[in-house]
Structures are given as C-alpha cells and as structure tokens.
Amino acid sequence: MKNFHFKKVLCFFAELGFLFSLRALDSGSEKDDGSFLVDTSVVPLISSLKFEDYDEVLLELSDSIEQNDILYARAKNRRLNNVSTTPHFYAYVPVGRDNLFSVNASTGVPYDTLATLNSLPSSETPITGKKIILTDIKGLFIPEKPVTEIDVFLYKTYQDRFDDALRFQIDDKGFYFFEGERFSPYHRLYFLDSNFSLPLDKKIVTSAYGMRESPVYGTWKKHNGIDFAAREGDNVYSCRIGTVSFVKQNDEVFGNYIIVSHSSSLTSVYAHLSKILVKEGDSVKGGQKIGLSGSTGMVTGPHLHFEIRRNGKPLDPERILPKATGHQ
C-alpha cells in the first residue's frame, strides 16, 4: 500500500513538473486569429532514430509524447481549444529504408498524424531524403486548402467541426487540428490501399450507394454499390490487383458478373456485363480489362453496377475510389 501511494505521489510531481516546464511552440508565436505559427526551419532536428545513438531530441520527443498521453487521458473532458497541452514540433530527414511506418515505430508519433501533418497522399509515398515534421501531440491535421485526395476526403469529413478545431499555420500552410482523432476505417483503407482505380474510363455515377427507390421494383431498397453510366460494350477494368474468385453467367439479377478478390479481405463486383474476358483463378492487375459493360440481368438499360465489399459486407465505393464523385 505504501508503494502504491508513493508511486501516485511520484506521478503527480512528474506531471506537475512537466506542466511547469512546457515551453512555447518551437515556432514562437500566435496569430491574431488564434492560430499558432510554426516555422519548420527552426524546429529541433532529430539526427538519428536509433535509440542506441541517444539522440537528445528524439529522447525529448519520446518523453514529451508519453507525458502528453497522460495529460490527454486525464484532461480530455476539460480541454481548452481542443488541445490538452502546448504542442512542440520537430524535424527529421529519413534515410536508407526509413518509411512512414518505421518513423512511427521509432518515434511513437501515429502514422496518420505524420501523414496529415506532412500532406502525404498515400502510405507508399517515398519520404527518404525529404524533411518531415513530427509533433508530440496525437491527432489529425486537416489542411485549410486540401490538395491530395486524402486531404479532400478528410476535409469533407471534418468541415462541420472546423469551428471547434485548433488552427496551425505551419510555414505557408494552414491546418485545422483535432487532438486524439485517428483515421476512420474508410480513411485508413483509402490511405493504406490508395492504388484503387476506376472500373470505367468515365466517372459518371448515376445511382449512389445506400437507400434508393429501385428503378426495377419501384420500392425503396438498399443499393449495395454504385451504378456508373456506360454504353453497351464499354471496357470494364479491375479496380485493383487481385484474383478472379467468381464468374457467373446469366444471373437473374446481376446478369453476367465478376467478383475479384483483393488483399485486406476486400472484394469487388462488376455486374450487368455484356461479355466476360476472364475466368476464375486468373490473376489481374489494377486497370486490367476484365469485361465489357452491358444490360444483362435485371436492368432498365446498359450500365455498370459496381461494389466493394470487406469481409463480405458492402462499403460505399465513392469513399474509396479516386475522383468518383459528383453525380451527373
């Protein structure tokens, strides 16, 4: 019991000492609109991610993250401006085989914090030789002016909450910051499996995912995919590398259709085809032609019905495919 109370006292004084030692942002100032200015040319530079090298800046970052985790857990119900403590920023230039996940593992900064802070469009984006910015607070940095597709995705997800966000001006780029937030399953899937491609040459979505009035039955039913406008005989492509796991001819509903199995327990479905150009067991690449669009099965005209499923459960393809937005 004495040891328990002693540990609590030590923890209290450690937290108190940390609070008193908080320094100003490494960038040094705050704008009139309340956003913090960060000048990345003057932030502390980590020279090595190997703990055996005893890089003082890396050790400082690791200690600060640990303390911030404690403060966030204890103070999240009484935070001011959506952040529990004063954030600090650091820099590192990746070398050798460094990648997003090795930097995450070595520093404790979540990969989605690193990705959004550095505007990385996908998990496969090379970072070797390029200065990246790290911080000791965990969360998502949403750019005020999104550029990459994951930027746009996140912006649309969080735009109704921007008034509650802390704002950062990092060099010449503005960000909304949401402490404690992580990529949603959709964000994670899109970022980690960013090599999805459209199944058609054109991007016109005529019927969205979700509840709709069935054009065939005239009743409200859930639409488990999206419909792309297509002419009879347009090329249909696999949206991603995978293996053809199922081929069906003359199905009552889907007509001629194909199912391709991908990694991460994903499958994609291509229905109402006029012609199938692959067979079960075939390996296909992303963008490889696998069939021709048509009007087989239960349809009112030629189009492509397209689905993405994870563990057999349908997902909204428009939240995963590139630029498959703007119904026309």
Side-chain angles (χ1 to χ4, degrees):
M1 182 62 71
K2 288 182 179 180
N3 287 337
F4 173 75
H5 287 296
F6 181 66
K7 288 180 180 178
K8 287 187 69 176
V9 171
L10 282 179
C11 187
F12 170 77
F13 279 108
E15 180 178 338
L16 187 64
F18 178 72
L19 282 168
F20 277 103
S21 67
L22 285 175
R23 50 189 165 82
L25 278 172
D26 295 313
S27 59
S29 60
E30 185 175 350
K31 292 177 65 178
D32 292 338
D33 62 3
S35 60
F36 290 98
L37 292 171
V38 179
D39 180 356
T40 63
S41 67
V42 298
V43 300
L45 180 66
I46 297 171
S47 59
S48 173
L49 294 183
K50 298 179 180 179
F51 274 92
E52 59 266 28
D53 291 339
Y54 297 103
D55 184 281
E56 291 184 1
V57 180
L58 177 59
L59 294 173
E60 177 189 332
L61 169 61
S62 299
D63 289 343
S64 189
I65 288 175
E66 183 177 352
Q67 293 292 345
N68 284 349
D69 285 347
I70 295 172
L71 292 178
Y72 176 76
R74 293 184 177 181
K76 64 180 180 180
N77 293 325
R78 48 186 171 81
R79 285 175 291 153
L80 181 63
N81 289 332
N82 212 40
V83 68
S84 61
T85 187
T86 305
H88 304 133
F89 292 83
Y90 306 81
Y92 172 67
V93 179
V95 297
R97 296 184 179 181
D98 283 339
N99 58 43
L100 178 67
F101 301 105
S102 66
V103 174
N104 158 228
S106 298
T107 64
V109 181
Y111 78 87
D112 39 12
T113 299
L114 289 168
T116 54
L117 178 56
N118 292 279
S119 298
L120 301 179
S122 81
S123 61
E124 299 176 355
T125 303
I127 60 174
T128 304
K130 302 175 182 177
K131 184 173 77 171
I132 61 172
I133 305 303
L134 304 92
T135 183
D136 57 0
I137 50 174
K138 299 176 180 179
L140 298 179
F141 289 83
I142 314 300
E144 294 178 352
K145 297 180 180 179
V147 176
T148 67
E149 291 182 7
I150 188 66
D151 283 348
V152 174
F153 194 178
L154 289 165
Y155 188 95
K156 291 180 177 179
T157 301
Y158 285 90
Q159 59 185 346
D160 293 338
R161 297 170 54 190
F162 285 163
D163 289 343
D164 299 324
L166 192 70
R167 293 180 62 201
F168 287 92
Q169 184 72 31
I170 302 177
D171 294 333
D172 60 351
K173 193 170 184 179
F175 291 91
Y176 300 99
F177 177 69
F178 294 90
E179 188 181 21
E181 294 288 317
R182 303 296 305 272
F183 279 166
S184 71
Y186 277 109
H187 298 140
R188 186 164 58 249
L189 176 61
Y190 189 88
F191 182 76
L192 298 178
D193 294 315
S194 59
N195 52 343
F196 280 93
S197 58
L198 291 165
L200 287 169
D201 291 315
K202 294 185 178 181
K203 309 169 187 176
I204 302 174
V205 177
T206 57
S207 185
Y209 173 90
M211 295 301 296
R212 68 166 186 175
E213 185 176 359
S214 170
V216 175
Y217 299 104
T219 58
W220 282 89
K221 296 170 63 74
K222 184 178 180 183
H223 192 216
N224 287 329
I226 58 177
D227 291 342
F228 285 100
R231 299 166 299 183
E232 191 82 21
D234 282 348
N235 292 334
V236 174
Y237 309 101
S238 175
C239 69
R240 194 165 177 253
I241 188 172
T243 302
V244 178
S245 55
F246 189 76
V247 170
K248 175 75 172 179
Q249 300 272 2
N250 301 316
D251 181 77
E252 183 179 351
V253 177
F254 277 179
N256 304 328
Y257 73 100
I258 300 167
I259 298 179
V260 178
S261 295
H262 313 282
S263 61
S264 304
S265 302
L266 295 169
T267 55
S268 54
V269 181
Y270 313 78
H272 309 309
L273 304 175
S274 62
K275 189 172 183 178
I276 293 174
L277 303 176
V278 291
K279 62 182 183 301
E280 290 181 15
D282 283 353
S283 296
V284 293
K285 299 177 180 179
Q288 179 179 330
K289 185 165 70 172
I290 58 174
L292 303 176
S293 61
S295 54
T296 58
M298 200 166 291
V299 297
T300 58
H303 69 280
L304 175 69
H305 173 80
F306 176 77
E307 296 183 16
I308 293 179
R309 302 170 181 169
R310 188 169 200 169
N311 294 317
K313 297 180 179 180
L315 302 173
D316 183 353
E318 284 195 87
R319 302 182 68 178
I320 300 168
L321 291 176
K323 300 179 182 178
T325 57
H327 308 320
Q328 299 182 27

